[in-house]
Amino acid sequence: MKRQDVAIVTGASRGIGQAIALRLARDGYAVVVNYAGNEQDAKQTVAEITKADGRAIAVKANVTRSQEVKALFDAAEAAFGPVTVLINNAGVMQPGLVSIVDTDDALFERIISTNLQGVFNTLREAGRRMKAGSRIINLSTSVLGLASPGYGAYAASKAGVEAMTKVFANELRGREIRVNAVAPGPTKTDLFLEGKPQELVERISKLAPLERLGTVEDTTRVVAFLVGEEGAWVNGQVLRVNGGMV
Ligand code: NDP
């Protein structure tokens, strides 16, 4: 971590994003806690950071809207200076499992616009603004490797994210900006638990040879490594973090 590091974490009001924001703040980064609607949880996250002498602000921005993404970067720069770390964490999935046949137009559009276009919007903004030494992490999913039934739109959105991760790393040649993706396995958050009966949660928790669900810390540790100096030579990679599930 460099003293002047400023991180935007999208979708940091809850779940994995919140844990990443808390971890980066603890490591000394100034953190922008982005959220879509959940102001109370975002403010709570900021309060937790500032109570521990960290630096953070909450900024509402819907990542599907490019103007709001621009405003998010503007707010970050106004508060802390140039953004040096972008964590593309904001994401949605339908409750439970839904086959492609049963996915309606509105659900498909919601998943693609948040998970794929949202990442496109922030990458484009970051590419226009970031200076040498900056780092970007995109959240994918290990479900993509499993190709499990019931995740059609969701897996498709993350396949696009993984593609853009590698293309963007190549497009940034010569600018010393690293772009990587982290693909967690099933992790105990609202997104994973919502709409799944207990027996399904238990079955999924046994898929990995380590036979448990992931915790948010399992992912934050890897993100902290990738954006930190120890990850300096890792670029254009997708790192699966799932206890060996796939
Ligand atoms: P949660 O549902 O717990 O949290 C989602 C976060 O994203 C919230 O902070 C939410 O904000 C924010 N968000 C949703 N839509 C938007 C939007 N349009 N603009 C800005 N922010 C938005 O999800 P998780 O923590 O589980 O997931 C985080 C990431 O990790 C996602 O990309 C997900 O696909 C990925 N992932 C999760 C796995 C899991 O098993 N949990 C496994 C693999 C990957 P608000 O609170 O305001 O609604």
Side-chain angles (χ1 to χ4, degrees), residues 178 225-226 228-235:
R178 296 189 290 113
F225 155 71
L226 284 174
E229 299 206 338
E230 301 291 314
W233 194 231
V234 186
N235 189 26

Side-chain angles (χ1 to χ4, degrees), residues 7-12 16-18 20-21 24 31-35 85-90:
I8 290 179
V9 184
T10 66
I16 295 171
Q18 180 190 50
I20 293 170
L24 293 184
V31 178
V32 176
V33 173
N34 161 249
Y35 65 102
V85 170
L86 168 65
I87 313 291
N88 271 317
N89 165 85

Side-chain angles (χ1 to χ4, degrees), residues 11 13-14 16 36-38 61-63 89 140 154 158 184-185 187 189 191:
S13 45
R14 294 183 278 132
I16 295 171
N38 212 327
N62 183 337
V63 294
N89 165 85
S140 179
Y154 181 70
K158 297 297 189 177
T187 305
T189 66
L191 179 142

Side-chain angles (χ1 to χ4, degrees), residues 2-244:
K2 301 176 205 90
R3 261 227 73 70
Q4 66 280 19
D5 263 325
V6 175
I8 290 179
V9 184
T10 66
S13 45
R14 294 183 278 132
I16 295 171
Q18 180 190 50
I20 293 170
L22 294 172
R23 169 64 194 258
L24 293 184
R26 214 169 61 228
D27 288 352
Y29 297 70
V31 178
V32 176
V33 173
N34 161 249
Y35 65 102
N38 212 327
E39 184 176 15
Q40 204 181 335
D41 285 356
K43 285 193 164 158
Q44 182 64 38
T45 308
V46 168
E48 208 173 314
I49 290 171
T50 48
K51 200 170 140 210
D53 291 330
R55 292 180 298 155
I57 55 166
V59 178
K60 180 176 179 173
N62 183 337
V63 294
T64 67
R65 302 195 185 127
S66 56
Q67 287 309 319
E68 294 188 26
V69 168
K70 274 199 176 82
L72 170 65
F73 277 76
D74 288 343
E77 287 173 8
F80 299 124
V83 175
T84 59
V85 170
L86 168 65
I87 313 291
N88 271 317
N89 165 85
V92 292
M93 194 178 73
Q94 77 286 340
L97 307 182
V98 182
S99 68
I100 289 174
V101 166
D102 290 328
T103 300
D104 63 25
D105 293 353
L107 176 61
F108 185 79
E109 204 179 309
R110 189 166 81 87
I111 291 174
I112 296 295
S113 66
T114 309
N115 298 3
L116 184 55
Q117 194 168 7
V119 169
F120 164 75
N121 285 336
T122 57
L123 290 182
R124 185 172 56 182
E125 206 55 43
R128 288 173 177 166
R129 301 189 191 218
M130 277 181 157
K131 308 252 179 311
S134 298
R135 294 84 77 200
I136 297 171
I137 306 289
N138 299 323
L139 270 287
S140 179
T141 173
S142 286
V143 154
L144 190 50
L146 278 183
S148 308
Y151 291 95
Y154 181 70
S157 71
K158 297 297 189 177
V161 168
E162 292 194 7
M164 281 197 293
T165 300
K166 295 181 183 210
V167 169
F168 208 43
N170 285 327
E171 288 183 355
L172 294 173
R173 171 182 290 273
R175 288 182 52 190
E176 284 179 49
I177 300 175
R178 296 189 290 113
V179 189
N180 291 292
V182 174
T187 305
K188 273 181 270 181
T189 66
D190 298 345
L191 179 142
F192 169 72
L193 294 170
E194 206 185 325
K196 291 193 179 74
Q198 190 53 33
E199 67 266 19
L200 179 58
V201 170
E202 268 157 34
R203 188 152 54 79
I204 292 175
S205 74
K206 297 282 184 259
L207 287 177
L210 295 185
E211 293 194 316
R212 65 168 174 82
L213 291 177
T215 65
V216 292
E217 287 78 19
D218 287 326
T219 296
T220 57
R221 275 195 284 268
V222 174
V223 170
F225 155 71
L226 284 174
V227 299
E229 299 206 338
E230 301 291 314
W233 194 231
V234 186
N235 189 26
Q237 304 301 311
V238 178
L239 190 42
R240 287 179 176 157
V241 183
N242 57 33

